[in-house]
Amino acid sequence: MLVDGQWTEDWQPVQQSDDDGRFIRQRSSFRERIRADSTAGFAPEAGRYLLYVAYICPWACRTLIALRLKGLDGVIATCVVDPRLSDQGWRFSGEMGSDLDRTNGASHMHQLYTRADPHFTGRATVPVLWDTRQGTIVNNESADILRILDRDFAGLADDTVQLRPEALEDEIEAWNQRLYADFNNGVYQAGFASSQAAYDEAEGKVFATLDDLEARLGGADWLVGDQLTETDIRAFVTLVRFDLAYHGLFKCNRHPLSHYPRVIAYLERLLAIPAFAASVRPDHIKAGYYSIAALNPSGIVPTGPELDYLAALA
Ligand SMILES: N[C@@H](CCC(=O)N[C@@H](CS)C(=O)NCC(=O)O)C(=O)O
């Protein structure tokens, strides 16, 4: 991680755990919005902003899905890191269909953090929304970036798509909080637990969420209301990684997703939407997760699983 702008040690997946061995995720530190009257000077403009993402990363992929759903892929460019975590975190290699950083010439993501803040302390995470005009980070919190894409590019975006309609906001927020704690982050807490009790607790929450998703999808196509919302994006990014990575590497192996037929049907419905399908790179997901040496010292990437619901992607 970075300490006062200096890269300090080889990359580790866990920097912080609580006393009971629970993995703690770092809080994001760049939290600006893009507004015509922004005091920080971040106005909505085509061609000005760049979104740094990793196809392995569920947080980054939710912003990628929103970018395409909102028709902003011609307005905001993207730059994809190599999915395999290096000793210095994310890097730009041009390998496996990833990008070189042609805008800033960085070799590693952490260089962009120190460019934005020469004294930055913390992890150099993706996604990052970068302002090419000021040469700095606008925001590195995917929950905020979802909102920026949904609301801050009015006129440049397809505003017939509303990912967070006001009338559904309370319900969206309730689902989001549950999904974040028990599912999106729950799988990481299972995978990075350093005690049996912390693992048991996280694994229990993950499968309780899958039970609840299966129940909700009994009478509904979407998680909130009768339309696609950002809650579906948040559920999707963890569901689509579940069998590929979390079932094996993160020991969430009580059941494969096929145990939940309605969840599978929902996943297939989402995968039929081009913005969702385009965010899924199974090769990046597997290479990325299985490159985490603390969990997989040999670095061997499994051949399987073969998943019918991903067959249409190729
Ligand atoms: N709060 C952030 C979390 C992002 C995050 O944890 N990204 C992970 C990848 S899945 C990352 O970049 N990790 C690199 C590291 O921790 O060094 C968000 O949702 O935007």
Side-chain angles (χ1 to χ4, degrees):
M1 66 181 278
L2 288 165
V3 176
D4 196 15
Q6 300 297 318
W7 187 263
T8 51
E9 53 177 293
D10 285 356
W11 186 87
Q12 295 294 332
V14 179
Q15 229 87 47
Q16 224 188 339
S17 300
D18 72 9
D19 291 345
D20 297 320
R22 295 189 191 91
F23 160 74
I24 298 178
R25 187 174 295 277
Q26 164 185 293
R27 286 188 184 282
S28 303
S29 32
F30 298 89
R31 306 294 298 264
E32 293 293 337
R33 293 286 295 252
I34 294 186
R35 295 203 164 111
D37 61 354
S38 151
T39 48
F42 299 125
E45 274 172 51
R48 172 168 171 179
Y49 299 95
L50 178 62
L51 186 59
Y52 286 98
V53 292
Y55 280 117
I56 162 195
C57 172
W59 322 99
C61 283
R62 57 198 203 178
T63 68
L64 258 188
I65 295 168
L67 183 81
R68 295 197 173 105
L69 284 174
K70 293 290 295 183
L72 283 167
D73 35 337
V75 171
I76 300 172
T78 55
C79 184
V80 178
V81 298
D82 189 304
R84 296 158 297 189
L85 281 149
S86 77
D87 287 348
Q88 294 188 42
W90 301 120
R91 72 193 171 107
F92 302 97
S93 69
E95 293 165 23
M96 289 187 73
S98 66
D99 294 318
L100 295 171
D101 180 18
R102 301 205 186 276
T103 304
N104 289 305
S107 63
H108 291 83
M109 197 66 214
H110 69 75
Q111 293 162 346
L112 297 169
Y113 275 77
T114 45
R115 199 167 300 179
D117 173 2
H119 297 289
F120 183 80
T121 293
R123 305 177 72 93
T125 58
V126 287
V128 160
L129 185 60
W130 180 267
D131 177 17
T132 60
R133 175 83 49 80
Q134 295 190 44
T136 193
I137 297 175
V138 179
N139 202 302
N140 71 334
E141 169 51 53
S142 61
D144 292 351
I145 299 173
L146 275 180
R147 236 140 281 175
I148 289 172
L149 298 172
D150 194 34
R151 297 205 171 146
D152 292 1
F153 282 85
L156 293 168
D158 175 358
D159 286 322
T160 61
V161 177
Q162 292 285 313
L163 298 175
R164 200 182 163 83
E166 275 171 29
L168 298 176
E169 212 151 16
D170 289 350
E171 215 183 320
I172 287 173
E173 213 32 60
W175 261 107
N176 287 356
Q177 283 180 19
R178 163 88 199 282
L179 283 176
Y180 176 81
D182 294 357
F183 198 49
N184 306 135
N185 203 40
V187 289
Y188 282 84
Q189 289 191 311
F192 293 138
S194 53
S195 71
Q196 185 70 45
Y199 163 79
D200 290 344
E201 178 184 74
E203 192 267 358
K205 291 191 297 187
V206 166
F207 284 94
T209 309
L210 280 168
D211 289 341
D212 289 352
L213 288 175
E214 184 72 3
R216 160 74 192 170
L217 293 166
D221 282 350
W222 313 108
L223 293 184
V224 177
D226 56 4
Q227 68 174 90
L228 177 81
T229 65
E230 69 162 70
T231 302
D232 297 299
I233 299 177
R234 288 164 177 261
F236 173 83
V237 294
T238 298
L239 288 173
V240 84
R241 286 165 178 71
F242 199 84
D243 288 329
L244 286 173
Y246 307 146
H247 182 89
L249 191 72
F250 282 0
K251 305 187 191 82
C252 290
N253 62 0
R254 194 191 303 201
H255 304 297
L257 274 195
S258 57
H259 185 75
Y260 302 93
R262 292 170 185 154
V263 169
I264 291 279
Y266 169 68
L267 186 54
E268 285 175 339
R269 250 190 329 278
L270 293 170
L271 281 164
I273 301 171
F276 283 81
S279 76
V280 185
R281 287 282 306 258
D283 57 335
H284 278 221
I285 293 172
K286 286 206 296 186
Y289 280 104
Y290 281 94
S291 73
I292 300 174
L295 299 182
N296 186 35
S298 70
I300 292 170
V301 181
T303 308
E306 279 181 14
L307 299 164
D308 289 347
Y309 58 81
L310 293 183
L313 284 181

